[in-house]
């Protein structure tokens, strides 16, 4: 097992533009780290630099204390699992899993032992003589996992491995991958654009946007204390509600006419008066009859989800609050809404947390 450290790593494919800009993070030995962000933000580029499949333009990559910038992929002893499985179509399941051992000229009896044990662990023992085209998506991804596991790598890299699976299988494979990690404890870096995978799978989340790291923390830290509007909006479904307004001392006003929301502690100094954004998650908004610290609005849509209802209203854009499934509101009802003031997150004009 190894720790992985990226120090001021940048990557440019073309001379002028950087796909990855000055990235710093450490995956501790045995840690499961998630790199999450929208498509094109540089996640795969980072994985490829760690795997030795792309050159590092600037910065240093370490496995433990060893500088790895110019190590060959083989020297890095990495197991990679890709979105498209990357199986050999002409080989059966046994030979696909055995492939990394066969090219290392491992003894036949050892190959058989290891492949059989790996296939058993992944529930593939009845499919060993099948070709990939006869397998379901989930089984193919298990074969790809088996091929990564069988070589006993120091590090696992996952590049959106569940994106091609249907919703039900994704849930199942999430648990399987997390349990495999618990079993092997190998340092793992997992790339996804899916916020549910990010929230549910990792010890440490690295949120990226446009080649840069926006925030690093546990899922709970990032959900509860996002450092900027990008991170706040990226995690959470439905998204955090964002209200533009003005913050004067301790009072947030949505517009000139509104009485405003009195914040519980001094968010800013008393002479502060600036445009700001108030962020509040849908679970921390409630309906009220009081005029104080509330806004008047109208329900424009209700989504019934079985265990809860989502009430939508328009207040400077579409906003949402969660209600119990038996809540009696109807579309068109006029309501007042107030936030749990202890859960408000304020952002400055540049979108950074105040
Ligand atoms: P992600 O994995 O987050 O979707 P990528 O790392 O694939 O993002 O891409 C980051 C940026 O680098 C994108 O703008 C993409 O177009 C660019 N890019 C990726 N691979 C190449 C390449 N081989 N040549 C040129 N540009 C690339």
């Amino acid at each position: 097992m190894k720790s992985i450290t990226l120090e001021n790593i940048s990557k440019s494919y073309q001379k002028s533009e950087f796909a990855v800009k000055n990235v710093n993070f450490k995956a501790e030995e045995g840690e499961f780290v998630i790199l999450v962000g929208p498509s094109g933000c540089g996640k795969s580029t980072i994985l490829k630099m760690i795997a030795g499949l792309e050159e590092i333009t600037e910065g240093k990559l370490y496995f433990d204390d060893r500088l790895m910038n110019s190590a060959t992929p083989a020297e890095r002893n990495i197991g990679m699992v890709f979105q498209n499985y990357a199986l050999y179509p002409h080989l059966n399941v046994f030979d696909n899993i055995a492939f990394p051992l066969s090219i290392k000229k491992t003894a036949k009896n050892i190959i058989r032992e290891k492949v059989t044990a790996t296939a058993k662990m992944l529930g593939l023992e009845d499919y060993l003589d099948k070709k990939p085209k006869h397998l379901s998506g989930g089984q193919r991804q298990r074969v790809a996992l088996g091929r990564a596991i069988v070589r006993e790598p120091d590090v696992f890299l996952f590049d959106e491995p569940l994106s091609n699976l249907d919703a039900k299988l994704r849930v199942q494979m999430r648990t399987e991958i997390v349990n495999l990690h618990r079993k092997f404890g190998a340092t793992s870096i997992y790339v996804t654009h899916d916020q549910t995978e990010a929230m549910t799978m990792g010890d440490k989340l690295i949120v990226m946007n446009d080649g840069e790291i926006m925030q690093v923390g546990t899922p709970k830290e990032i959900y509860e204390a996002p450092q900027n509007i990008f991170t706040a909006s990226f995690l959470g479904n439905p998204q955090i509600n964002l209200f533009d307004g003005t913050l004067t001392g301790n009072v947030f006003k949505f517009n000139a006419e509104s009485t405003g929301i009195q914040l519980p502690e001094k968010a800013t100094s008393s002479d502060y008066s600036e445009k700001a954004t108030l962020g509040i998650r849908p679970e921390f908004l409630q309906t009220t009859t009081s005029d104080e610290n509330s806004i008047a609005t109208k329900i424009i849509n209700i989504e019934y989800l079985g265990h809860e209802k989502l009430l939508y209203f328009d207040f400077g854009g579409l906003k949402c609050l969660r209600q119990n499934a038996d809540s009696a509101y109807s579309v068109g009802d006029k309501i007042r809404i107030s936030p749990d003031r202890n859960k408000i997150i304020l952002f400055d004009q540049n979108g950074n947390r105040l």
Side-chain angles (χ1 to χ4, degrees):
M1 261 178 288
K2 297 259 189 320
S3 67
I4 302 170
T5 308
L6 279 73
E7 243 180 51
N8 305 320
I9 294 264
S10 296
K11 170 75 185 176
S12 65
Y13 289 103
Q14 283 98 28
K15 275 213 169 90
S16 54
E17 274 184 40
F18 278 91
V20 169
K21 300 167 204 162
N22 198 29
V23 159
N24 290 279
F25 71 81
K26 181 169 186 185
E28 302 287 351
E29 191 177 322
E31 207 170 24
F32 198 105
V33 173
I34 306 256
L35 273 181
V36 64
S39 185
C41 74
K43 306 179 297 291
S44 300
T45 300
I46 290 179
L47 272 202
K48 286 182 203 154
M49 287 191 283
I50 296 171
L53 304 173
E54 280 292 349
E55 216 168 289
I56 295 169
T57 312
E58 283 170 25
K60 290 177 177 160
L61 170 72
Y62 294 94
F63 284 7
D64 291 338
D65 296 331
R66 190 175 158 208
L67 187 65
M68 297 302 280
N69 286 47
S70 29
T72 64
E75 284 168 333
R76 300 182 193 212
N77 194 23
I78 279 171
M80 263 194 106
V81 183
F82 300 93
Q83 175 180 353
N84 61 7
Y85 321 128
L87 301 179
Y88 299 103
H90 59 288
L91 298 182
N92 65 20
V93 168
F94 184 97
D95 291 330
N96 262 291
I97 296 178
F99 192 80
L101 302 177
S102 309
I103 54 169
K104 277 201 274 180
K105 309 251 183 300
T106 309
K108 284 244 159 57
N109 59 332
I110 294 185
I111 292 183
R112 178 148 298 279
E113 203 177 286
K114 288 193 170 176
V115 172
T116 310
T118 305
K120 193 160 174 232
M121 188 166 63
L122 294 165
L124 291 169
E125 64 268 57
D126 295 335
Y127 300 90
L128 286 170
D129 55 356
K130 295 260 190 308
K131 296 269 171 63
K133 68 177 177 207
H134 298 299
L135 303 177
S136 69
Q139 288 165 336
R140 285 180 209 179
Q141 196 51 287
R142 282 197 194 94
V143 178
L145 275 171
R147 193 178 52 188
I149 289 167
V150 82
R151 53 199 300 239
E152 296 166 12
D154 290 323
V155 170
F156 279 99
L157 302 179
F158 298 92
D159 196 354
E160 307 244 6
L162 309 185
S163 299
N164 284 345
L165 304 179
D166 64 40
K168 192 170 160 218
L169 248 164
R170 272 210 299 273
V171 176
Q172 191 180 332
M173 291 297 288
R174 278 208 307 262
T175 300
E176 286 188 28
I177 290 176
V178 168
N179 283 339
L180 283 172
H181 175 255
R182 286 201 186 104
K183 191 173 160 101
F184 291 107
T187 313
S188 302
I189 301 182
Y190 185 107
V191 159
T192 182
H193 65 270
D194 181 301
Q195 56 116 6
T196 311
E197 279 174 36
M199 291 289 284
T200 53
M201 294 178 76
D203 305 321
K204 185 192 275 178
L205 268 188
I206 299 174
V207 183
M208 291 192 61
N209 186 32
D210 199 15
E212 292 180 273
I213 293 183
M214 297 280 106
Q215 193 169 350
V216 180
T218 64
K220 188 170 155 60
E221 281 164 0
I222 294 187
Y223 186 80
E224 291 181 355
Q227 287 310 300
N228 49 61
I229 287 183
F230 177 86
T231 306
S233 318
F234 196 77
L235 294 186
N237 184 24
Q239 276 193 1
I240 191 167
N241 295 297
L242 297 168
F243 298 90
D244 291 331
T246 313
L247 185 64
T248 305
N250 225 14
V251 177
F252 182 89
K253 283 195 170 191
F254 298 95
N255 48 47
E257 304 89 62
S258 76
T259 48
I261 304 277
Q262 183 79 37
L263 300 166
E265 306 156 22
K266 269 220 169 325
T268 52
S269 66
S270 53
D271 56 359
Y272 184 99
S273 182
E274 298 271 1
K275 284 189 177 157
T277 301
L278 181 153
I280 184 89
R281 299 225 176 253
E283 56 271 34
F284 300 129
L285 279 178
Q286 57 260 317
T287 53
T288 177
T289 49
S290 165
D291 286 355
E292 256 179 64
N293 296 312
S294 67
I295 51 174
T297 184
K298 197 170 79 174
I299 299 172
I300 59 168
N301 191 22
I302 298 177
E303 289 178 351
Y304 172 72
L305 298 177
H307 63 295
E308 66 175 358
K309 276 182 184 167
L310 301 176
L311 270 50
Y312 290 93
F313 59 99
D314 187 355
F315 198 94
L318 192 67
K319 305 288 189 287
C320 174
L321 76 146
R322 292 183 195 274
Q323 290 266 293
N324 289 332
D326 54 5
S327 131
Y329 290 107
S330 308
V331 173
D333 284 356
K334 289 188 173 157
I335 51 171
R336 292 200 72 89
I337 288 169
S338 74
D340 177 342
R341 288 180 293 145
N342 292 310
K343 300 293 184 183
I344 286 173
I345 305 169
L346 290 167
F347 301 98
D348 68 15
Q349 291 181 63
N350 300 320
N352 293 316
R353 181 136 190 213
L354 271 170

